Amino acid sequence: MFSRCSLYSPLPRHPHTSKETNVIQIDFNKMGGLIPAIIQDYQNGEVLMVAFMDEKTLNLTLETGKTWFFSRSRNKYWMKGEESGNTQEVMEVLTDCDADTVVIKVKQNGPAACHTGNRSCFYVKWENGQWVEHSKPLFDPAQVYKK
C-alpha cells in the first residue's frame, strides 16, 4: 500500500505549505476545482494515462487505494476499472512544486489502462511527419464496455 506521507513536505518554504503544520495543500483553484493526474506504472515508469481529479476524487483515491477521477465529458465521478475490471492499485502519490498536479504511481490490474484496449493511452507517436499507432489493443472495448 502507498504512504500518505508522499503529500507532506519536509521543506517549510514550499509556497503551498502551512507554517504551522508543514502540510502541503493541493491547489484546486487554478483549473476551476480540478487538477491533472498523471498515472504512471510504478515498476517501469510508463505513463499509462492522464485524467482529472477534484478534491473528492483525490480523497477517495487516498482513502481506498484505487484511482478515482472526475470525467469532464460525462460530468461524473468514476473509479478506474469499474466497468472493465482493469483497476489501478495506488503505490505512491506525489505532487509538483506548485501543488496543482499529481503523479500517481500504480500497479495496473488487468492488461490495459486505456479504454481503447491499449496498455497505455499514449500509444500514438509522431513519426516522419505523421501520427502512427505503436500498439495493438489487448482487449476488445466493444466486448468489455458493451456499448
Side-chain angles (χ1 to χ4, degrees), residues 9-68:
S9 170
L11 304 172
R13 291 177 167 187
H14 190 284
H16 297 283
T17 302
S18 163
K19 289 181 182 177
E20 297 81 31
T21 62
N22 210 26
V23 175
I24 291 176
Q25 301 297 314
I26 301 297
D27 185 355
F28 289 98
N29 294 325
K30 286 183 186 173
M31 293 182 56
L34 298 176
I35 60 170
I38 302 160
I39 310 305
Q40 201 175 24
D41 184 289
Y42 84 103
Q43 289 183 316
N44 65 19
E46 177 183 23
V47 175
L48 299 173
M49 58 183 282
V50 174
F52 288 88
M53 295 180 144
D54 63 5
E55 190 169 359
K56 178 178 179 174
T57 55
L58 178 57
N59 287 334
L60 280 167
T61 297
L62 296 173
E63 291 166 9
T64 66
K66 304 285 185 195
T67 53
W68 283 82

Tab-separated table of all heavy atoms in Angstrom, residues 9-68:
chain	number	residue	atom	x	y	z
A	9	SER	N	5.622	17.673	3.009
A	9	SER	CA	6.921	18.205	2.614
A	9	SER	C	7.779	18.489	3.832
A	9	SER	O	7.308	19.102	4.781
A	9	SER	CB	6.726	19.503	1.830
A	9	SER	OG	7.959	20.142	1.637
A	10	PRO	N	9.053	18.086	3.797
A	10	PRO	CA	9.942	18.451	4.886
A	10	PRO	C	10.438	19.889	4.772
A	10	PRO	O	11.115	20.391	5.634
A	10	PRO	CB	11.102	17.465	4.729
A	10	PRO	CG	11.137	17.179	3.274
A	10	PRO	CD	9.694	17.232	2.821
A	11	LEU	N	10.128	20.564	3.670
A	11	LEU	CA	10.614	21.908	3.426
A	11	LEU	C	9.526	22.938	3.697
A	11	LEU	O	8.572	23.057	2.948
A	11	LEU	CB	11.087	22.040	1.968
A	11	LEU	CG	12.154	21.043	1.528
A	11	LEU	CD1	12.380	21.153	0.031
A	11	LEU	CD2	13.434	21.279	2.292
A	12	PRO	N	9.641	23.714	4.761
A	12	PRO	CA	8.593	24.676	5.101
A	12	PRO	C	8.477	25.839	4.123
A	12	PRO	O	7.531	26.569	4.162
A	12	PRO	CB	8.999	25.185	6.487
A	12	PRO	CG	10.419	24.853	6.640
A	12	PRO	CD	10.709	23.679	5.737
A	13	ARG	N	9.408	25.991	3.181
A	13	ARG	CA	9.366	27.105	2.236
A	13	ARG	C	8.440	26.851	1.053
A	13	ARG	O	8.221	27.733	0.251
A	13	ARG	CB	10.758	27.368	1.697
A	13	ARG	CG	11.684	27.920	2.709
A	13	ARG	CD	12.989	28.052	2.052
A	13	ARG	NE	13.930	28.836	2.783
A	13	ARG	CZ	15.098	29.175	2.308
A	13	ARG	NH1	15.435	28.819	1.089
A	13	ARG	NH2	15.931	29.862	3.013
A	14	HIS	N	7.935	25.658	0.884
A	14	HIS	CA	7.050	25.358	-0.240
A	14	HIS	C	5.901	26.359	-0.245
A	14	HIS	O	5.327	26.657	0.791
A	14	HIS	CB	6.530	23.929	-0.108
A	14	HIS	CG	5.818	23.444	-1.323
A	14	HIS	ND1	4.546	23.846	-1.618
A	14	HIS	CD2	6.209	22.620	-2.314
A	14	HIS	CE1	4.164	23.265	-2.743
A	14	HIS	NE2	5.155	22.520	-3.184
A	15	PRO	N	5.540	26.936	-1.409
A	15	PRO	CA	4.533	28.001	-1.450
A	15	PRO	C	3.147	27.578	-0.966
A	15	PRO	O	2.352	28.430	-0.611
A	15	PRO	CB	4.493	28.406	-2.924
A	15	PRO	CG	5.100	27.274	-3.664
A	15	PRO	CD	6.071	26.623	-2.734
A	16	HIS	N	2.842	26.299	-0.957
A	16	HIS	CA	1.525	25.850	-0.512
A	16	HIS	C	1.613	25.111	0.815
A	16	HIS	O	0.790	24.257	1.112
A	16	HIS	CB	0.881	24.963	-1.587
A	16	HIS	CG	0.650	25.705	-2.859
A	16	HIS	ND1	-0.376	26.596	-3.020
A	16	HIS	CD2	1.350	25.736	-4.018
A	16	HIS	CE1	-0.315	27.129	-4.226
A	16	HIS	NE2	0.718	26.632	-4.856
A	17	THR	N	2.626	25.438	1.616
A	17	THR	CA	2.821	24.789	2.894
A	17	THR	C	2.385	25.707	4.016
A	17	THR	O	2.753	26.874	4.059
A	17	THR	CB	4.316	24.418	3.097
A	17	THR	OG1	4.716	23.574	2.043
A	17	THR	CG2	4.531	23.720	4.418
A	18	SER	N	1.617	25.169	4.930
A	18	SER	CA	1.232	25.907	6.117
A	18	SER	C	2.419	25.940	7.075
A	18	SER	O	3.036	24.919	7.343
A	18	SER	CB	0.042	25.201	6.779
A	18	SER	OG	-0.106	25.650	8.099
A	19	LYS	N	2.755	27.116	7.603
A	19	LYS	CA	3.892	27.244	8.516
A	19	LYS	C	3.636	26.498	9.822
A	19	LYS	O	4.549	25.988	10.434
A	19	LYS	CB	4.179	28.713	8.796
A	19	LYS	CG	4.768	29.438	7.613
A	19	LYS	CD	5.052	30.867	7.927
A	19	LYS	CE	5.587	31.566	6.685
A	19	LYS	NZ	5.804	32.978	6.913
A	20	GLU	N	2.382	26.433	10.226
A	20	GLU	CA	2.051	25.790	11.486
A	20	GLU	C	2.177	24.267	11.413
A	20	GLU	O	2.633	23.632	12.343
A	20	GLU	CB	0.621	26.137	11.925
A	20	GLU	CG	0.386	27.615	12.193
A	20	GLU	CD	0.139	28.416	10.932
A	20	GLU	OE1	-0.410	27.875	9.953
A	20	GLU	OE2	0.516	29.605	10.912
A	21	THR	N	1.768	23.673	10.316
A	21	THR	CA	1.695	22.211	10.244
A	21	THR	C	2.697	21.580	9.299
A	21	THR	O	2.905	20.378	9.349
A	21	THR	CB	0.288	21.771	9.811
A	21	THR	OG1	0.040	22.283	8.504
A	21	THR	CG2	-0.770	22.243	10.782
A	22	ASN	N	3.288	22.353	8.403
A	22	ASN	CA	4.229	21.814	7.418
A	22	ASN	C	3.551	20.851	6.440
A	22	ASN	O	4.179	19.974	5.883
A	22	ASN	CB	5.408	21.132	8.116
A	22	ASN	CG	6.665	21.224	7.296
A	22	ASN	OD1	6.820	22.141	6.501
A	22	ASN	ND2	7.559	20.285	7.475
A	23	VAL	N	2.255	20.985	6.251
A	23	VAL	CA	1.486	20.132	5.347
A	23	VAL	C	1.147	20.924	4.089
A	23	VAL	O	0.664	22.049	4.164
A	23	VAL	CB	0.179	19.643	6.018
A	23	VAL	CG1	-0.670	18.858	5.048
A	23	VAL	CG2	0.499	18.820	7.248
A	24	ILE	N	1.408	20.331	2.946
A	24	ILE	CA	1.099	20.974	1.669
A	24	ILE	C	-0.390	20.852	1.385
A	24	ILE	O	-0.992	19.795	1.578
A	24	ILE	CB	1.918	20.326	0.530
A	24	ILE	CG1	3.382	20.682	0.711
A	24	ILE	CG2	1.410	20.765	-0.838
A	24	ILE	CD1	4.294	20.019	-0.283
A	25	GLN	N	-0.965	21.922	0.899
A	25	GLN	CA	-2.362	21.928	0.483
A	25	GLN	C	-2.404	21.901	-1.043
A	25	GLN	O	-1.806	22.760	-1.685
A	25	GLN	CB	-3.074	23.181	1.002
A	25	GLN	CG	-3.049	23.334	2.511
A	25	GLN	CD	-3.780	22.215	3.203
A	25	GLN	OE1	-4.881	21.842	2.825
A	25	GLN	NE2	-3.159	21.655	4.230
A	26	ILE	N	-3.099	20.935	-1.606
A	26	ILE	CA	-3.238	20.869	-3.067
A	26	ILE	C	-4.085	22.048	-3.524
A	26	ILE	O	-5.118	22.357	-2.937
A	26	ILE	CB	-3.876	19.526	-3.490
A	26	ILE	CG1	-3.027	18.340	-3.011
A	26	ILE	CG2	-4.087	19.481	-4.999
A	26	ILE	CD1	-1.637	18.277	-3.592
A	27	ASP	N	-3.659	22.699	-4.601
A	27	ASP	CA	-4.328	23.884	-5.128
A	27	ASP	C	-5.335	23.473	-6.209
A	27	ASP	O	-4.970	23.246	-7.354
A	27	ASP	CB	-3.289	24.844	-5.701
A	27	ASP	CG	-3.887	26.159	-6.167
A	27	ASP	OD1	-5.124	26.319	-6.137
A	27	ASP	OD2	-3.100	27.041	-6.564
A	28	PHE	N	-6.594	23.399	-5.829
A	28	PHE	CA	-7.660	23.034	-6.761
A	28	PHE	C	-8.263	24.263	-7.445
A	28	PHE	O	-9.145	24.129	-8.282
A	28	PHE	CB	-8.773	22.276	-6.029
A	28	PHE	CG	-8.371	20.886	-5.604
A	28	PHE	CD1	-7.938	20.636	-4.316
A	28	PHE	CD2	-8.417	19.833	-6.505
A	28	PHE	CE1	-7.564	19.361	-3.923
A	28	PHE	CE2	-8.037	18.557	-6.132
A	28	PHE	CZ	-7.609	18.321	-4.833
A	29	ASN	N	-7.808	25.446	-7.118
A	29	ASN	CA	-8.433	26.671	-7.617
A	29	ASN	C	-8.028	27.060	-9.025
A	29	ASN	O	-8.809	27.674	-9.737
A	29	ASN	CB	-8.139	27.833	-6.666
A	29	ASN	CG	-8.791	27.616	-5.324
A	29	ASN	OD1	-9.875	27.066	-5.244
A	29	ASN	ND2	-8.113	28.031	-4.263
A	30	LYS	N	-6.820	26.732	-9.465
A	30	LYS	CA	-6.315	27.210	-10.752
A	30	LYS	C	-7.144	26.747	-11.946
A	30	LYS	O	-7.268	27.462	-12.924
A	30	LYS	CB	-4.867	26.750	-10.958
A	30	LYS	CG	-3.881	27.498	-10.125
A	30	LYS	CD	-2.480	27.046	-10.439
A	30	LYS	CE	-1.484	27.690	-9.512
A	30	LYS	NZ	-0.142	27.139	-9.682
A	31	MET	N	-7.680	25.537	-11.868
A	31	MET	CA	-8.426	24.989	-13.010
A	31	MET	C	-9.885	24.741	-12.644
A	31	MET	O	-10.483	23.756	-13.044
A	31	MET	CB	-7.776	23.692	-13.493
A	31	MET	CG	-6.405	23.902	-14.094
A	31	MET	SD	-5.659	22.385	-14.714
A	31	MET	CE	-6.894	21.783	-15.856
A	32	GLY	N	-10.451	25.633	-11.870
A	32	GLY	CA	-11.863	25.537	-11.536
A	32	GLY	C	-12.226	24.310	-10.719
A	32	GLY	O	-13.282	23.726	-10.916
A	33	GLY	N	-11.352	23.912	-9.821
A	33	GLY	CA	-11.649	22.785	-8.941
A	33	GLY	C	-11.027	21.471	-9.363
A	33	GLY	O	-11.165	20.469	-8.669
A	34	LEU	N	-10.344	21.452	-10.500
A	34	LEU	CA	-9.737	20.217	-10.996
A	34	LEU	C	-8.215	20.321	-11.034
A	34	LEU	O	-7.668	21.417	-11.165
A	34	LEU	CB	-10.248	19.900	-12.408
A	34	LEU	CG	-11.729	19.657	-12.560
A	34	LEU	CD1	-12.074	19.458	-14.030
A	34	LEU	CD2	-12.176	18.464	-11.740
A	35	ILE	N	-7.562	19.167	-10.929
A	35	ILE	CA	-6.116	19.087	-11.128
A	35	ILE	C	-5.835	17.920	-12.073
A	35	ILE	O	-6.560	16.929	-12.070
A	35	ILE	CB	-5.341	18.880	-9.803
A	35	ILE	CG1	-5.773	17.588	-9.099
A	35	ILE	CG2	-5.472	20.095	-8.903
A	35	ILE	CD1	-4.914	17.179	-7.926
A	36	PRO	N	-4.784	18.035	-12.899
A	36	PRO	CA	-4.385	16.891	-13.724
A	36	PRO	C	-3.768	15.809	-12.833
A	36	PRO	O	-3.052	16.110	-11.878
A	36	PRO	CB	-3.335	17.460	-14.674
A	36	PRO	CG	-3.397	18.942	-14.533
A	36	PRO	CD	-3.998	19.226	-13.203
A	37	ALA	N	-4.054	14.566	-13.181
A	37	ALA	CA	-3.465	13.415	-12.509
A	37	ALA	C	-2.762	12.566	-13.559
A	37	ALA	O	-3.403	12.048	-14.474
A	37	ALA	CB	-4.538	12.602	-11.793
A	38	ILE	N	-1.458	12.459	-13.426
A	38	ILE	CA	-0.653	11.647	-14.340
A	38	ILE	C	-0.527	10.272	-13.707
A	38	ILE	O	-0.030	10.150	-12.583
A	38	ILE	CB	0.728	12.278	-14.564
A	38	ILE	CG1	0.554	13.698	-15.121
A	38	ILE	CG2	1.600	11.405	-15.452
A	38	ILE	CD1	1.749	14.585	-14.934
A	39	ILE	N	-0.987	9.250	-14.413
A	39	ILE	CA	-0.969	7.893	-13.873
A	39	ILE	C	0.178	7.140	-14.523
A	39	ILE	O	0.243	7.030	-15.744
A	39	ILE	CB	-2.314	7.171	-14.131
A	39	ILE	CG1	-3.488	8.053	-13.691
A	39	ILE	CG2	-2.318	5.821	-13.436
A	39	ILE	CD1	-3.446	8.535	-12.258
A	40	GLN	N	1.045	6.603	-13.678
A	40	GLN	CA	2.300	6.014	-14.138
A	40	GLN	C	2.451	4.613	-13.550
A	40	GLN	O	2.093	4.375	-12.393
A	40	GLN	CB	3.423	6.917	-13.621
A	40	GLN	CG	4.710	6.838	-14.300
A	40	GLN	CD	5.693	7.883	-13.739
A	40	GLN	OE1	5.589	8.345	-12.618
A	40	GLN	NE2	6.649	8.237	-14.552
A	41	ASP	N	2.985	3.679	-14.335
A	41	ASP	CA	3.290	2.339	-13.840
A	41	ASP	C	4.413	2.455	-12.809
A	41	ASP	O	5.459	3.022	-13.104
A	41	ASP	CB	3.714	1.429	-14.992
A	41	ASP	CG	3.949	0.003	-14.548
A	41	ASP	OD1	4.972	-0.229	-13.847
A	41	ASP	OD2	3.153	-0.865	-14.893
A	42	TYR	N	4.188	1.940	-11.616
A	42	TYR	CA	5.161	2.117	-10.548
A	42	TYR	C	6.433	1.313	-10.764
A	42	TYR	O	7.477	1.655	-10.213
A	42	TYR	CB	4.555	1.805	-9.178
A	42	TYR	CG	4.560	0.353	-8.788
A	42	TYR	CD1	5.492	-0.143	-7.886
A	42	TYR	CD2	3.628	-0.531	-9.322
A	42	TYR	CE1	5.504	-1.481	-7.527
A	42	TYR	CE2	3.633	-1.860	-8.970
A	42	TYR	CZ	4.563	-2.333	-8.067
A	42	TYR	OH	4.580	-3.655	-7.723
A	43	GLN	N	6.385	0.281	-11.582
A	43	GLN	CA	7.581	-0.537	-11.796
A	43	GLN	C	8.486	0.000	-12.896
A	43	GLN	O	9.687	0.068	-12.735
A	43	GLN	CB	7.191	-1.976	-12.116
A	43	GLN	CG	6.639	-2.696	-10.911
A	43	GLN	CD	6.327	-4.149	-11.215
A	43	GLN	OE1	5.749	-4.460	-12.254
A	43	GLN	NE2	6.701	-5.030	-10.292
A	44	ASN	N	7.894	0.406	-14.036
A	44	ASN	CA	8.746	0.813	-15.158
A	44	ASN	C	8.621	2.288	-15.540
A	44	ASN	O	9.295	2.751	-16.451
A	44	ASN	CB	8.493	-0.073	-16.381
A	44	ASN	CG	7.091	0.071	-16.938
A	44	ASN	OD1	6.400	1.051	-16.677
A	44	ASN	ND2	6.655	-0.914	-17.712
A	45	GLY	N	7.748	3.035	-14.876
A	45	GLY	CA	7.620	4.465	-15.136
A	45	GLY	C	6.787	4.838	-16.343
A	45	GLY	O	6.625	6.025	-16.636
A	46	GLU	N	6.245	3.860	-17.056
A	46	GLU	CA	5.424	4.143	-18.240
A	46	GLU	C	4.221	5.002	-17.841
A	46	GLU	O	3.531	4.716	-16.869
A	46	GLU	CB	4.946	2.829	-18.853
A	46	GLU	CG	4.026	2.992	-20.042
A	46	GLU	CD	3.506	1.660	-20.573
A	46	GLU	OE1	3.476	0.660	-19.830
A	46	GLU	OE2	3.126	1.638	-21.757
A	47	VAL	N	3.968	6.073	-18.614
A	47	VAL	CA	2.772	6.877	-18.388
A	47	VAL	C	1.597	6.113	-18.987
A	47	VAL	O	1.570	5.831	-20.183
A	47	VAL	CB	2.898	8.281	-19.018
A	47	VAL	CG1	1.590	9.056	-18.868
A	47	VAL	CG2	4.049	9.050	-18.385
A	48	LEU	N	0.649	5.763	-18.144
A	48	LEU	CA	-0.495	4.980	-18.580
A	48	LEU	C	-1.656	5.860	-19.045
A	48	LEU	O	-2.348	5.526	-19.999
A	48	LEU	CB	-0.962	4.059	-17.459
A	48	LEU	CG	0.065	3.030	-16.980
A	48	LEU	CD1	-0.447	2.283	-15.757
A	48	LEU	CD2	0.405	2.063	-18.105
A	49	MET	N	-1.863	6.962	-18.351
A	49	MET	CA	-2.990	7.829	-18.691
A	49	MET	C	-2.858	9.160	-17.957
A	49	MET	O	-2.058	9.287	-17.030
A	49	MET	CB	-4.324	7.167	-18.342
A	49	MET	CG	-4.456	6.778	-16.882
A	49	MET	SD	-5.996	5.916	-16.481
A	49	MET	CE	-7.145	7.266	-16.420
A	50	VAL	N	-3.655	10.121	-18.375
A	50	VAL	CA	-3.813	11.393	-17.683
A	50	VAL	C	-5.306	11.608	-17.539
A	50	VAL	O	-6.067	11.415	-18.490
A	50	VAL	CB	-3.174	12.565	-18.468
A	50	VAL	CG1	-3.487	13.891	-17.804
A	50	VAL	CG2	-1.677	12.363	-18.593
A	51	ALA	N	-5.721	11.980	-16.346
A	51	ALA	CA	-7.137	12.251	-16.092
A	51	ALA	C	-7.218	13.439	-15.138
A	51	ALA	O	-6.187	14.023	-14.783
A	51	ALA	CB	-7.803	11.012	-15.495
A	52	PHE	N	-8.414	13.784	-14.728
A	52	PHE	CA	-8.602	14.922	-13.834
A	52	PHE	C	-9.229	14.481	-12.525
A	52	PHE	O	-10.047	13.559	-12.485
A	52	PHE	CB	-9.455	15.999	-14.506
A	52	PHE	CG	-8.701	16.701	-15.596
A	52	PHE	CD1	-8.705	16.202	-16.884
A	52	PHE	CD2	-7.948	17.831	-15.322
A	52	PHE	CE1	-7.978	16.818	-17.889
A	52	PHE	CE2	-7.219	18.454	-16.325
A	52	PHE	CZ	-7.236	17.954	-17.611
A	53	MET	N	-8.823	15.154	-11.463
A	53	MET	CA	-9.348	14.901	-10.131
A	53	MET	C	-9.822	16.212	-9.528
A	53	MET	O	-9.279	17.268	-9.832
A	53	MET	CB	-8.263	14.332	-9.215
A	53	MET	CG	-7.748	12.981	-9.605
A	53	MET	SD	-6.473	12.454	-8.442
A	53	MET	CE	-6.851	10.700	-8.391
A	54	ASP	N	-10.827	16.096	-8.684
A	54	ASP	CA	-11.173	17.205	-7.822
A	54	ASP	C	-10.830	16.759	-6.402
A	54	ASP	O	-10.260	15.675	-6.210
A	54	ASP	CB	-12.641	17.623	-7.988
A	54	ASP	CG	-13.638	16.544	-7.607
A	54	ASP	OD1	-13.238	15.463	-7.103
A	54	ASP	OD2	-14.843	16.776	-7.791
A	55	GLU	N	-11.155	17.570	-5.424
A	55	GLU	CA	-10.779	17.229	-4.053
A	55	GLU	C	-11.426	15.913	-3.603
A	55	GLU	O	-10.780	15.088	-2.954
A	55	GLU	CB	-11.162	18.370	-3.107
A	55	GLU	CG	-10.587	18.202	-1.727
A	55	GLU	CD	-10.735	19.456	-0.869
A	55	GLU	OE1	-11.274	20.470	-1.350
A	55	GLU	OE2	-10.286	19.407	0.286
A	56	LYS	N	-12.669	15.692	-3.990
A	56	LYS	CA	-13.366	14.462	-3.600
A	56	LYS	C	-12.681	13.223	-4.176
A	56	LYS	O	-12.463	12.238	-3.466
A	56	LYS	CB	-14.829	14.513	-4.052
A	56	LYS	CG	-15.598	13.251	-3.714
A	56	LYS	CD	-17.052	13.342	-4.138
A	56	LYS	CE	-17.783	12.057	-3.808
A	56	LYS	NZ	-19.224	12.173	-4.079
A	57	THR	N	-12.337	13.247	-5.466
A	57	THR	CA	-11.735	12.050	-6.070
A	57	THR	C	-10.306	11.827	-5.581
A	57	THR	O	-9.885	10.680	-5.453
A	57	THR	CB	-11.787	12.096	-7.611
A	57	THR	OG1	-11.182	13.299	-8.069
A	57	THR	CG2	-13.218	11.981	-8.109
A	58	LEU	N	-9.580	12.901	-5.296
A	58	LEU	CA	-8.250	12.703	-4.712
A	58	LEU	C	-8.385	12.053	-3.340
A	58	LEU	O	-7.671	11.102	-3.022
A	58	LEU	CB	-7.482	14.023	-4.613
A	58	LEU	CG	-6.096	13.911	-3.974
A	58	LEU	CD1	-5.192	12.920	-4.710
A	58	LEU	CD2	-5.424	15.278	-3.890
A	59	ASN	N	-9.326	12.536	-2.533
A	59	ASN	CA	-9.543	11.931	-1.216
A	59	ASN	C	-9.993	10.480	-1.325
A	59	ASN	O	-9.528	9.626	-0.561
A	59	ASN	CB	-10.535	12.754	-0.396
A	59	ASN	CG	-9.928	14.047	0.096
A	59	ASN	OD1	-8.721	14.163	0.255
A	59	ASN	ND2	-10.767	15.038	0.324
A	60	LEU	N	-10.877	10.169	-2.270
A	60	LEU	CA	-11.305	8.776	-2.481
A	60	LEU	C	-10.118	7.900	-2.873
A	60	LEU	O	-9.984	6.765	-2.415
A	60	LEU	CB	-12.381	8.690	-3.565
A	60	LEU	CG	-13.795	9.028	-3.152
A	60	LEU	CD1	-14.689	9.201	-4.385
A	60	LEU	CD2	-14.348	7.965	-2.233
A	61	THR	N	-9.252	8.435	-3.727
A	61	THR	CA	-8.060	7.705	-4.147
A	61	THR	C	-7.157	7.416	-2.955
A	61	THR	O	-6.685	6.284	-2.778
A	61	THR	CB	-7.304	8.503	-5.232
A	61	THR	OG1	-8.160	8.631	-6.373
A	61	THR	CG2	-6.004	7.833	-5.633
A	62	LEU	N	-6.924	8.427	-2.120
A	62	LEU	CA	-6.063	8.258	-0.954
A	62	LEU	C	-6.678	7.297	0.072
A	62	LEU	O	-5.971	6.516	0.696
A	62	LEU	CB	-5.781	9.614	-0.306
A	62	LEU	CG	-4.989	10.601	-1.168
A	62	LEU	CD1	-4.923	11.958	-0.482
A	62	LEU	CD2	-3.613	10.077	-1.487
A	63	GLU	N	-7.996	7.353	0.221
A	63	GLU	CA	-8.682	6.513	1.212
A	63	GLU	C	-8.823	5.059	0.773
A	63	GLU	O	-8.689	4.149	1.584
A	63	GLU	CB	-10.065	7.090	1.517
A	63	GLU	CG	-10.017	8.398	2.265
A	63	GLU	CD	-11.346	9.140	2.285
A	63	GLU	OE1	-12.382	8.565	1.855
A	63	GLU	OE2	-11.355	10.307	2.717
A	64	THR	N	-9.101	4.839	-0.521
A	64	THR	CA	-9.394	3.482	-0.996
A	64	THR	C	-8.187	2.756	-1.571
A	64	THR	O	-8.199	1.535	-1.687
A	64	THR	CB	-10.492	3.499	-2.084
A	64	THR	OG1	-9.993	4.173	-3.250
A	64	THR	CG2	-11.769	4.167	-1.572
A	65	GLY	N	-7.167	3.514	-1.994
A	65	GLY	CA	-6.018	2.895	-2.648
A	65	GLY	C	-6.289	2.503	-4.087
A	65	GLY	O	-5.498	1.822	-4.731
A	66	LYS	N	-7.414	2.948	-4.646
A	66	LYS	CA	-7.775	2.761	-6.061
A	66	LYS	C	-7.917	4.152	-6.676
A	66	LYS	O	-8.285	5.105	-6.000
A	66	LYS	CB	-9.115	2.021	-6.213
A	66	LYS	CG	-9.172	0.681	-5.528
A	66	LYS	CD	-8.408	-0.347	-6.291
A	66	LYS	CE	-8.580	-1.715	-5.633
A	66	LYS	NZ	-7.631	-2.676	-6.096
A	67	THR	N	-7.639	4.282	-7.981
A	67	THR	CA	-7.732	5.599	-8.609
A	67	THR	C	-9.178	5.969	-8.932
A	67	THR	O	-9.931	5.171	-9.483
A	67	THR	CB	-6.877	5.662	-9.893
A	67	THR	OG1	-7.220	4.586	-10.758
A	67	THR	CG2	-5.393	5.622	-9.568
A	68	TRP	N	-9.527	7.187	-8.558
A	68	TRP	CA	-10.831	7.782	-8.814
A	68	TRP	C	-10.614	9.092	-9.568
A	68	TRP	O	-9.649	9.806	-9.305
A	68	TRP	CB	-11.562	8.099	-7.510
A	68	TRP	CG	-12.162	6.908	-6.861
A	68	TRP	CD1	-11.526	6.002	-6.064
A	68	TRP	CD2	-13.517	6.489	-6.952
A	68	TRP	NE1	-12.414	5.045	-5.644
A	68	TRP	CE2	-13.648	5.313	-6.177
A	68	TRP	CE3	-14.641	6.994	-7.618
A	68	TRP	CZ2	-14.852	4.648	-6.051
A	68	TRP	CZ3	-15.842	6.319	-7.480
A	68	TRP	CH2	-15.939	5.158	-6.704
